């Protein structure tokens, strides 16, 4: 029997586990899916916006995989800490597949970024998604009239939408009660989503972009002069050469150009060709505005500064300019690519494949693609592992890894514990007159898991 540990229970980890147990070439594969959190599903639970129920329904598919009798979920297990090093984990399993994602957001690298009121979109998403590490985050939304979101991807669109939504649309979601209360009493009337390049280069998908124009009581507006700076907007031939998504995005934005916000309760302004250069302080050392430099196309797909500047008022700034992988203790790391060096998923140490160590997901390829991109990525890694199975299986293991984890002082949350968390969240929702509501803190999650188990 080949025993494999998969570190991370998000889509890449679950897809890797699924591929390993469903293939027929190597019989008898058993997989333990380990996660630092007591709850599974990774970014599907803690990164997908709570109002995107269709995407969040993917949890049902992941759940089916994790309920396979050949797969065991072990939450509340941190790999890389003093109790469970990468070296020790490999002693307990024939192979380890790391699917740990990209946990750190990129900085803007401009003066004033440390001011109160400036946050990463990652922290904001974690807060309204109920991630237990974000329980201490504080967003003074009642004191915010204008917000700036820097970025032009789907995460930027998500946080912009969440700032503009009202309580009636958020209450049916599984958003934690404290976050719902803060958003319900938000003072935000204007959100500016700002990109340094043009609309044809936006990284958002059309469905997410179009949704900004359908929010109740919200007007989405675009400055026609900024759209006109994009060669693909003005020239049909240039537009025809764009990918289909970019062409559709331009058509959506064209429909919003110059739109009168009228009596809308809130306003979303999509701004283009503006590069942040400084966050400006107001009273009490809090952010008061963001200074942007106007940019222009350079003819090679990039932009150049023009020397013209504009200050955009903001009491809240969220940066959403990408993610980076972080080193995992005990694994090699490429600081330039912010990934683990690998060959078809095999971890490379000093240029040579490390027997029994593999990677999949963002830590393998960087923060690219959508959820579905993780499936072929995980399949490639699983294929490499299975090709090595004959060599890996020669090594005798000390016994059930679960016993070793407990002996090391870890307290794994098994599947019944997770089901108990689910039940507790359903009970919490009923007590609040809502549907299932996330428990947003470590003591609450572990208390529910232990009580159920």
């Amino acid at each position: 029997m080949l025993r494999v540990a998969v570190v991370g229970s998000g889509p890449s980890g679950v897809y890797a586990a699924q591929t390993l147990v469903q293939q027929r070439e190597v019989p008898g594969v058993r997989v333990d899916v380990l996660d630092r959190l007591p709850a599974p599903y990774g970014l599907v639970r803690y990164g997908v916006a709570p109002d995107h129920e269709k995407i969040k329904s993917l949890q049902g598919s992941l759940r089916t995989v994790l309920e396979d009798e050949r797969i065991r979920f072990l939450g509340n297990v941190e790999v890389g800490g003093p109790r469970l090093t990468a070296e020790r984990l490999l002693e307990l399993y024939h192979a380890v597949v790391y699917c740990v994602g990209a946990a750190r957001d990129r900085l803007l690298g401009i003066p004033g970024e440390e001011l109160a009121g400036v946050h990463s979109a990652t922290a904001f998403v974690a807060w309204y998604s109920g991630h237990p590490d974000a329980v201490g985050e504080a967003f003074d939304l009642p004191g915010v009239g204008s917000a700036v979101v820097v970025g032009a991807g789907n995460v930027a669109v998500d946080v912009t939408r969440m700032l503009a939504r009202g309580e009636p649309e958020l209450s049916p979601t599984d958003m934690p009660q404290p976050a719902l209360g803060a958003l319900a009493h938000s003072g935000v009337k204007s959100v500016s989503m700002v990109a340094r390049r043009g609309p044809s280069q936006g990284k958002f998908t059309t469905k997410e972009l179009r949704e900004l124009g359908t929010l109740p009581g919200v007007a989405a507006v675009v400055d026609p002069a900024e759209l006109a700076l994009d060669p693909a907007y003005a020239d049909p031939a240039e537009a025809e050469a764009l990918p289909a998504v970019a062409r559709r995005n331009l058509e959506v934005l064209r429909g919003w150009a110059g739109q009168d916000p009228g009596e809308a309760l809130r306003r979303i302004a999509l701004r283009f060709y503006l590069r942040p250069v400084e966050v400006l302080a107001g009273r009490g050392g809090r952010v008061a505005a963001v200074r942007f430099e106007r940019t222009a196309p350079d003819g090679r797909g990039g932009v150049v500064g023009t020397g013209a500047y504009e200050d955009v008022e903001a009491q809240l700034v969220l940066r959403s300019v990408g993610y980076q992988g972080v080193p995992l203790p005990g694994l090699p790391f490429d600081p330039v690519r912010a990934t683990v060096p690998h060959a078809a998923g095999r971890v490379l140490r000093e240029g040579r494949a490390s027997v029994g160590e593999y990677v999949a997901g963002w830590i393998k390829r960087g923060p690219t693609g959508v959820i579905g991109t993780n499936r072929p990525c995980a399949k490639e890694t699983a294929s490499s592992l299975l090709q090595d199975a004959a060599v890996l299986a020669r090594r005798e293991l000390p016994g059930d890894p679960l016993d070793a984890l407990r002996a090391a002082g870890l307290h794994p949350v098994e599947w019944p514990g997770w089901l108990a968390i689910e039940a507790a969240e359903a009970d919490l929702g009923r007590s609040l007159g809502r549907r299932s509501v996330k428990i947003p803190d470590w003591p609450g999650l572990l208390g529910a898991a232990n009580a159920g188990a």
Side-chain angles (χ1 to χ4, degrees), residues 416-430 436-437 439 448 452:
W418 159 241
L419 296 181
I421 292 173
E422 276 193 319
E425 292 183 336
D427 289 343
L428 176 60
R430 281 191 290 269
S436 182
V437 171
I439 298 171

Side-chain angles (χ1 to χ4, degrees), residues 8-16 41-44 58 62 99 371-372 374-375 378:
S9 65
S12 61
V14 174
Y15 293 151
Y41 311 137
L43 284 180
V44 177
L58 178 62
L62 302 180
C99 308
I371 290 176
N374 289 293
R375 190 178 288 278

Side-chain angles (χ1 to χ4, degrees), residues 50-83:
D51 61 337
H52 273 179
E53 293 192 8
K54 184 174 182 180
I55 302 176
K56 289 181 73 66
S57 68
L58 178 62
Q59 290 185 21
S61 300
L62 302 180
R63 179 194 192 100
T64 299
V65 176
L66 292 175
E67 287 181 333
D68 189 300
E69 62 181 8
R70 297 164 294 183
I71 296 173
R72 180 168 59 178
F73 172 72
L74 300 176
N76 194 38
V77 175
E78 183 173 9
V79 178
R83 293 181 177 177

Side-chain angles (χ1 to χ4, degrees), residues 32 42 53 58 80 95-96 235 290 316 433:
D32 285 351
E53 293 192 8
L58 178 62
V96 180
D235 185 346
V290 182
L316 173 70

Side-chain angles (χ1 to χ4, degrees), residues 60 87 114 127 134 141 152 187 198 228 251 268 271 274 321 416 431:
E87 182 181 18
E114 75 287 348
W127 171 73
L141 298 181
E251 288 309 306
I268 294 175
R271 306 293 309 276
L274 291 171
V321 290
S431 72

Side-chain angles (χ1 to χ4, degrees), residues 250-284:
L250 286 180
E251 288 309 306
V252 172
L253 294 168
R254 195 184 301 274
W256 294 347
Q259 181 172 288
D260 183 356
E263 300 298 320
L265 298 176
R266 292 186 174 98
R267 176 177 177 271
I268 294 175
L270 286 91
R271 306 293 309 276
F272 298 97
Y273 291 112
L274 291 171
R275 177 168 58 199
V277 294
E278 185 178 2
V279 181
L280 304 178
R283 287 184 298 179

